[in-house]
Amino acid sequence: MRCPNCGKDFQTGKRCPHCRIDSVLFTSTERISDRLFNKGLERLHLQDMTGGVHELGRAVSVNKHNIRARNLLGLALFEMGRIGDALKHWLISRSQLKENNNANLYLEALRKDTRNFERLNDAVVLYNRALEFIAQGHNDLAAIQLRKSLEHNPRFVDALNLLALCHMQQRNTPQANATLERVFAVDARNPVALRYFNALNPRRPRAEAPPRSPSRPILPPTETSPYWKIAETSAQKSINISNKKPTYFHAVGILSFIIGAAVMLACVYFLYLPAIRREHAQALREEQRATETAAQAAQDQMDERDEADEERQIYISNLHDQIADLEMRYNRANDTIIVHLAVNRFNNGNGSIEDFREAVRLLDLITLEALHFDTIATAQHIRAVAFPALATHYATTGVTAFNDGDYARALVLLEDSLLFITPDNPQYAHVLYHLGTLYYRAPNRNEDTIHLLTRLTSLEEYETLPATPWNLRRGRVTTMLSNLGIN
């Protein structure tokens, strides 16, 4: 007889004298693990991811060295978005078998595609953040985090279930049903999704038992789970248990085992299962009532908050209108006061240039459009009288200062004159000429010089100005423009 563990031959008994392993128990354990592997594989073929993970987990717990069951368990967990659990099983598998192990292919693919692995990891981080928001009672913030998580991993089953629960609490039944359909597209028999769906749709519940025949091949590769393509290179097949015959056959032990199993199944069927069904039904009804109560309370809170927000917005809008009206009245009153101050300075003064200048300065501080038409007419009258007087005064005194050689004072006076003078003023050409000459003599004022002298030469009466002294001035203007590059 050959030991199934160490491979050495021995003659009598069922315990190997070399490795001290009970060959019958060892072979039975392997056969049970293989049966569970086949059940898990069948569940995965039926797209029952949760059932497949359960059966494969039992297979690994019975025989921790069942490499094929552990690798397939990792693939199923990866497909459901449980990245950490999948990596754990693949690492254990690689530690048990170094060579010819598909776990090496899966881990290598993850190592090479770091960008996609980071996206999947970010999906888990966002899911955990959503759990924290839910614990704090912020379901709306949790829903935002879950949507971001599903953008990174659209097949994350736990995130989809949690998002569906958030929609249920917000009484958004169509969105909750759509999210649950996304769960069923990955895991057709997910118990959490089934419970939520049947609570939302009591008239058309989904059956909790899986279908008898597979609807499509196991775990089709998608763009969001490219690592399933690696699994296709070594497609999973059922283990033929009949080919693994025990090395030692004990009829009495097997018969006793069968009888005991039958008695146990009968007890479970007649005593334990009805109680479990009643307990599950009661828990489902209580959870449904709690969900409906929480959803109604959340909706009431949202309605109250919306009404309060609407009232607050109306109140704020009214305040803004009142503030705008008060500001307009204040500005109008302030501008009217300034006009009166300018009138007082204009009328009550002694008609000096300082009085005119101060009245014009006050009028420059305001906008006349919003004032009464009488006030506007008064302001315009002040400007009509003050502007010519100021222009003539500053022009005359500026030209006199220029002729006396006081160029600094002449520059200030002529610039002040240019603020008020108009082309119909007899002093207009003199101001342009003398101020342009001052700019020409000053450093870094070439552009101002060109601007003023070209305005002077564009006057219609420039060529017909009196011969003296304009004959000489025209020549100087031409010379200055020529020196500045203007022909």
Side-chain angles (χ1 to χ4, degrees), residues 381-437:
H381 172 71
I382 294 174
R383 287 179 173 174
V385 174
F387 269 48
L390 292 170
T392 301
H393 170 75
Y394 288 128
T396 303
T397 54
V399 171
T400 302
F402 181 90
N403 294 330
D404 293 339
D406 190 357
Y407 299 126
R409 183 168 178 267
L411 179 63
V412 174
L413 293 171
L414 291 173
E415 286 181 341
D416 287 343
S417 176
L418 196 62
L419 297 175
F420 306 104
I421 200 165
T422 56
D424 58 351
N425 192 303
Q427 299 289 334
Y428 184 68
H430 294 276
V431 171
L432 294 178
Y433 170 76
H434 289 90
L435 187 56
T437 303

Side-chain angles (χ1 to χ4, degrees), residues 398-399 402-403 407-408 410-411 414-415 429-443 445-446 448-454 456 462 470 472-481 484:
V399 171
F402 181 90
N403 294 330
Y407 299 126
L411 179 63
L414 291 173
E415 286 181 341
H430 294 276
V431 171
L432 294 178
Y433 170 76
H434 289 90
L435 187 56
T437 303
L438 291 174
Y439 285 161
Y440 178 77
R441 294 176 179 179
R445 301 299 295 267
N446 292 342
D448 296 330
T449 304
I450 294 171
H451 175 67
L452 291 180
L453 294 182
T454 52
L456 176 60
Y462 177 69
W470 280 103
L472 295 176
R473 291 179 180 178
R474 278 194 288 269
R476 293 171 186 169
V477 170
T478 302
T479 302
M480 286 188 287
L481 290 175
L484 294 175

Side-chain angles (χ1 to χ4, degrees), residues 272-286:
Y272 189 61
L273 285 181
I276 292 179
R277 290 195 182 99
R278 288 193 298 270
E279 183 178 354
H280 285 179
Q282 180 64 24
L284 181 60
R285 287 192 295 270
E286 292 178 356

Side-chain angles (χ1 to χ4, degrees), residues 150 154-155 160 163 177-187:
L150 293 172
R155 301 173 70 84
L160 288 169
L163 180 59
N177 283 329
T179 305
L180 293 174
E181 291 296 338
R182 292 177 61 184
V183 177
F184 296 139
V186 180
D187 185 7

Side-chain angles (χ1 to χ4, degrees), residues 7 11 30 35 84 103 120 124 130 138 145 150 216 239 278 291 335 352-353 364 396 399 419 423 428 478 482-483 485:
Q11 299 298 325
E30 284 188 329
R35 286 194 185 96
L120 298 175
V124 177
H138 303 308
Q145 299 298 318
L150 293 172
R216 53 180 172 177
I239 300 176
R278 288 193 298 270
T291 302
D335 292 345
S352 64
I353 293 300
D364 289 338
T396 303
V399 171
L419 297 175
Y428 184 68
T478 302
S482 177
N483 292 337

